[in-house]
Amino acid sequence: MISSRVLAIAAAAAVLCLSGVVSASAAPTVNTLDVPVKPKAVPAAPADNPACVYTKAVPADRFKGLPSFDPVKAAKPYTARLVTDQGLITFQALTDKAPCTTNSFRFLAEHNYYDLTHCHRLVTQRIFVLQCGDPTGTGSGGPGYSFPDENLTGATYPAGTVAMANAGPSTNGSQFFFCTEDTKLSPNYTPFGRVTGGQDVLRKIAAGGEDDQNSTGDGFPTLPVDILHVQISPR
């Protein structure tokens, strides 16, 4: 997650550290035959997508266990529908580019992890993001595990990007952010989705402003953004 302290520093340099962006969420087959079977080749993980391992970490808020990772299942496209009290926001998961991240988001959503949580941070100067995914609403909560960064080579953050907040390399958990406008960030935050509906909702939230509790242009959204439910459906 992107820590508020890190984000403040990054924002001052026109760069966002989201957990900082935003503050601080798989079974072997058994050969039952006597005849040896050549195992299917498993492609090596590309440098930009290291092996997907979910490692126990603290904090463990609303702990749902550790996700399993099945590369075949993780590659299946899906759409996430976030029902909020400000309107519906949908995004297409980039399962082909960030399978470990999208697998984690699907796992948490399907276990109702994000239900009845709120987006706790809005940044409207220098960087333009709405940060969500912390069940404690403090910016320091997490799901009880972390996982590696992905899809960072050449990463950019135009309006409609959905990316992971973090507190440093490979500290991803449950927190994520939406880019409400085109935003310039260092390629340190895994992009894992693209908004397909509800960008107008995000612009409305951003236009409502925030309370500057972290710094000028960085605080709690004036328009409360409560996530009522996240629905995952095939594309």
Side-chain angles (χ1 to χ4, degrees):
M1 37 186 159
I2 302 172
S3 69
S4 297
R5 182 176 67 82
V6 176
L7 178 57
I9 296 173
V15 180
L16 177 59
C17 180
L18 277 87
S19 141
V21 169
V22 203
S23 64
S25 238
T29 58
V30 178
N31 174 25
T32 59
L33 302 178
D34 293 331
V35 179
V37 175
K38 183 179 180 180
K40 294 182 178 180
V42 178
D48 198 36
N49 288 69
C52 183
V53 178
Y54 301 106
T55 305
K56 287 187 177 180
V58 292
D61 305 299
R62 285 192 182 183
F63 186 60
K64 303 296 184 180
L66 298 181
S68 58
F69 184 74
D70 176 343
V72 175
K73 179 180 178 180
K76 294 181 178 179
Y78 70 82
T79 294
R81 302 173 73 254
L82 284 72
V83 181
T84 82
D85 56 356
Q86 296 299 331
L88 180 65
I89 303 170
T90 64
F91 71 83
Q92 183 67 45
L94 304 179
T95 55
D96 58 333
K97 294 180 172 58
C100 192
T101 306
T102 54
N103 184 67
S104 172
F105 187 91
R106 186 205 311 253
F107 170 82
L108 293 175
E110 291 180 341
H111 284 79
N112 301 316
Y113 184 87
Y114 294 118
D115 291 7
L116 304 181
T117 64
H118 62 262
C119 298
H120 61 277
R121 188 177 193 182
L122 177 67
V123 187
T124 59
Q125 293 188 23
R126 297 174 296 277
I127 59 174
F128 308 94
V129 299
L130 175 68
Q131 185 174 340
C132 316
D134 176 3
T136 72
T138 64
S140 60
Y145 63 85
S146 62
F147 56 92
D149 299 322
E150 298 178 286
N151 194 30
L152 296 184
T153 300
T156 58
Y157 305 88
T161 298
V162 189
M164 291 302 296
N166 64 53
S170 295
T171 57
N172 303 292
S174 61
Q175 293 192 44
F176 61 95
F177 61 92
F178 295 101
C179 290
T180 59
E181 298 181 28
D182 292 350
T183 293
K184 291 185 178 180
L185 293 170
S186 296
N188 297 329
Y189 313 102
T190 297
F192 71 96
R194 168 64 54 189
V195 171
T196 55
Q199 191 66 27
D200 57 330
V201 174
L202 293 171
R203 288 194 294 266
K204 177 184 71 172
I205 294 166
E210 40 66 46
D211 62 7
D212 292 350
Q213 65 175 269
N214 298 319
S215 63
T216 302
D218 181 351
F220 193 85
T222 299
L223 294 177
V225 187
D226 295 320
I227 298 175
L228 308 178
H229 180 61
V230 179
Q231 179 184 27
I232 302 296
S233 58
R235 180 166 60 184

